[in-house]
Amino acid sequence: MGFRPTKADVARLANVSTATVSYVLNNVQGQRISEQTQAAVRKAAADLGYRPNLAARNLAVGGSGVVLYIVGRLSLGNLPIEVGSRLTTALARQGVVLSLQFETEDDRNVVDAIADLNPMAITSTFPLTGNALAAATAAGIPQIHLGSSQLHAIGSLDASIGEMRVDHLAGRGHTRLAFAYTTEEELRPLGDYWLAGLRAAAVRRGLPEITVASFAVDGSNAAEIVGRWVAEGVTAVCAQSDETAFVVLHGLRQAGLRCPQDMAVMGVNAIDLGAVSAPPLTSVAFDAKAIVDVAVAAMMSELGYPAEAEPSSAEVATLVQRDST
């Protein structure tokens, strides 16, 4: 998996002992370490990209030997289950139990699992939210997910997908872009995730701020929104999912507008129905196997266990170009 900085490397750069590095990075109470020294250690760790070996730390503190895997309400098809299944097998070979938990409205089961199992780490495909995030953060438990900066092998999906979508649309002359959320609140964080990548890509290209609106699932406000967007000069829409893109297309038809002539529309996740929408929908397809291979290897490395091999992340996502752009 390439060079992995050690605690000794951090200590050398910060000009402190390895014990001091352990005290600072593990937030050990009762040690008198100045703010200046703590800052130097954290900066050295960040500069080197140091990640503590969670397996070794767990052994040292007599931890539970349990890793929580959270299946969120935000998902890409079967991806979270596939990742969880593979992680279960990989961790079992190291004598570690993976406890599967599903995010719920109040996340009570996740909060209880954190308190009862004292896990060495929490893993998930997407970042935790709500009460689960608050409980994990309060307990100081490391969180590892596909979008986290720790997983260098896969990079950030939001950034790479944002670049792919903006490059495609800008290459067709579109400079005024809009983003379509769904009004379903439980899916809002997934929209936030994709929008962050789009905004970063737009800024890099010097494009105007991306316009945003939420589309009702029944399409009741779709025609009004797309009509307003066209009047404002928006020429292309990125939806937070293919399903939301279908609602945008419905709005365009209701408003007497044409796609892509009046407004291009692009989804993400490339579900099968996109091939038969009117017009067929341009989207981004994910290779679940490629993501699982990369995610499991990266997560195992982050936990401090050896990975069998470093898979390629080159084909994690591909553009599916159809008639809507």
Side-chain angles (χ1 to χ4, degrees), residues 21-261:
V21 172
S22 292
Y23 292 146
V24 172
L25 297 184
N26 292 327
N27 296 311
V28 176
Q29 302 301 310
Q31 297 296 321
R32 294 184 178 178
I33 301 173
S34 71
E35 291 290 335
Q36 185 178 358
T37 299
Q38 290 186 51
V41 169
R42 295 188 194 285
K43 183 178 186 305
D47 289 347
L48 290 171
Y50 171 74
R51 308 191 305 277
N53 185 319
L54 299 178
R57 187 180 75 175
N58 182 67
L59 205 60
V61 300
S64 62
V66 171
V67 170
L68 284 189
Y69 181 77
I70 312 301
V71 179
R73 286 170 289 173
L74 323 175
S75 67
L76 296 174
N78 292 325
L79 175 63
I81 299 299
E82 289 186 51
V83 171
S85 178
R86 288 276 298 280
L87 267 180
T88 298
T89 303
L91 287 172
R93 295 192 187 110
Q94 306 296 334
V96 176
V97 174
L98 190 76
S99 175
L100 194 69
Q101 299 290 330
F102 289 83
E103 269 191 321
T104 58
E105 185 121 2
D106 63 1
D107 290 327
R108 188 70 250 169
N109 60 317
V110 177
V111 173
D112 288 344
I114 291 171
D116 297 340
L117 298 177
N118 184 27
M120 58 192 284
I122 298 176
T123 58
S124 59
T125 45
F126 285 101
L128 297 181
T129 58
N131 293 331
L133 173 62
T137 302
I141 298 171
Q143 299 167 48
I144 304 167
H145 53 80
L146 291 188
S148 64
S149 59
Q150 301 134 308
L151 302 193
H152 304 292
I154 197 168
S156 291
L157 278 176
D158 61 331
S160 57
I161 301 309
E163 289 284 348
M164 187 179 294
R165 296 169 94 182
V166 170
D167 282 352
H168 175 71
L169 294 171
R172 279 154 180 70
H174 298 288
T175 57
R176 289 295 307 279
L177 309 181
F179 181 78
Y181 278 102
T182 177
T183 53
E184 294 181 287
E185 277 304 309
E186 68 271 16
L187 298 178
R188 182 83 182 190
L190 183 56
D192 293 340
Y193 182 71
W194 295 134
L195 179 57
L198 285 167
R199 280 180 166 154
V203 166
R204 273 190 287 275
R205 279 187 166 267
L207 301 183
E209 174 68 20
I210 294 175
T211 304
V212 172
S214 297
F215 286 71
V217 179
D218 63 5
S220 56
N221 64 348
E224 183 270 324
I225 293 173
V226 297
R228 183 176 74 247
W229 278 351
V230 167
E232 293 172 355
V234 171
T235 61
V237 179
C238 288
Q240 79 166 58
S241 66
D242 283 4
E243 291 85 352
T244 303
F246 297 154
V247 179
V248 176
L249 291 174
H250 169 74
L252 287 170
R253 290 190 295 270
Q254 276 196 321
L257 298 168
R258 301 163 301 163
C259 177
Q261 294 92 331

Side-chain angles (χ1 to χ4, degrees), residues 227-311:
R228 183 176 74 247
W229 278 351
V230 167
E232 293 172 355
V234 171
T235 61
V237 179
C238 288
Q240 79 166 58
S241 66
D242 283 4
E243 291 85 352
T244 303
F246 297 154
V247 179
V248 176
L249 291 174
H250 169 74
L252 287 170
R253 290 190 295 270
Q254 276 196 321
L257 298 168
R258 301 163 301 163
C259 177
Q261 294 92 331
D262 297 311
M263 184 175 286
V265 179
M266 192 174 186
V268 65
N269 206 16
I271 65 174
D272 292 342
L273 284 176
V276 295
S277 67
L281 181 67
T282 296
S283 189
V284 177
F286 298 100
D287 184 333
K289 184 181 184 304
I291 292 178
V292 168
D293 287 345
V294 173
V296 171
M299 285 179 173
M300 289 296 289
S301 175
E302 182 66 19
L303 286 165
Y305 295 108
E308 293 176 3
E310 181 175 2

